[in-house]
Amino acid sequence: MLQGTLLIASDHAGFELKEKLGAWLREMGYSVTDLGTESEESTDYADYAHPLAQQVSDGVAERGVLLCGTGLGMSYVANRYPHVRAAVAWSPEIADLARRHNDANVLALPARFLSEEQARQILKVWLDTPFEGGRHERRVEKIERDDVSREEQERAHIASDTI
């Protein structure tokens, strides 16, 4: 089980599902910090993704959940932060692979395309699945590198395709 506080945030499109998931997570015993939004009034997803991603990046929180219409906008913002690996998941299988292979620490849910039950299943798998490590560790470390030249990135890409 996740240690520490789980962050959750949404824009207007994800508000209703965020509220339901936050309550469900608390019932499951998780400590949840809701970073907004507070209504279904139109708002900008970036205003909520930035604070959540910053806290995960800084190590204030281990993991976070973002919700917007497609999950895409939130993931674009979150993935701009160091040490944040945000994954859009629309099925439990995607959530499982995001954790096992990519050590995803932010889950972005496409609220307009999921029922509450589907979202719960995806979230549960994401929370319960550990990072596998092994060969995936090397790949995650490459995500974290900021000193890689474009030429090194090309060579690494070609080499990883042969594995």
Side-chain angles (χ1 to χ4, degrees):
M1 186 168 178
L2 175 70
Q3 303 298 312
T5 299
L6 179 65
L7 304 176
I8 193 167
S10 74
D11 68 357
H12 58 283
F15 173 74
E16 183 180 346
L17 187 55
K18 174 186 65 87
E19 294 295 298
K20 291 175 180 178
L21 292 178
W24 177 72
L25 287 165
R26 288 180 187 92
E27 288 172 15
M28 300 283 291
Y30 288 94
S31 173
V32 180
T33 298
D34 186 335
L35 300 177
T37 191
E38 301 305 323
S39 75
E40 291 181 337
E41 184 177 331
S42 184
T43 188
D44 299 332
Y45 59 81
D47 294 342
Y48 302 94
H50 280 297
L52 185 143
Q54 185 68 63
Q55 289 189 45
V56 172
S57 180
D58 292 344
V60 173
E62 188 179 339
R63 292 202 223 167
V65 179
L66 293 167
L67 299 96
C68 67
T70 64
L72 296 171
M74 290 288 202
S75 71
Y76 299 154
V77 174
N79 280 318
R80 296 180 60 88
Y81 285 80
H83 315 297
V84 172
R85 291 169 305 282
V88 179
W90 56 91
S91 72
E93 296 81 7
I94 297 296
D96 174 76
L97 289 170
R99 284 290 308 138
R100 283 193 303 125
H101 291 188
N102 307 117
D103 198 16
N105 52 12
V106 172
L107 176 65
L109 293 172
R112 288 188 173 142
F113 299 91
L114 299 173
S115 68
E116 181 181 353
E117 182 57 34
Q118 289 170 318
R120 283 184 183 191
Q121 290 173 356
I122 293 165
L123 183 51
K124 180 157 181 30
V125 166
W126 183 76
L127 288 167
D128 292 346
T129 303
F131 177 50
E132 201 171 89
R135 71 183 191 275
H136 305 294
E137 185 72 39
R138 177 183 79 244
R139 296 166 181 162
V140 170
E141 286 173 3
K142 287 180 179 183
I143 294 170
E144 297 300 325
R145 289 186 62 191
D146 60 1
D147 61 342
V148 180
S149 72
R150 186 51 119 187
E151 186 177 307
E152 287 176 307
Q153 289 175 4
E154 258 322 292
R155 281 197 307 269
H157 176 71
I158 291 167
S160 70
D161 284 347
T162 61
I163 295 176

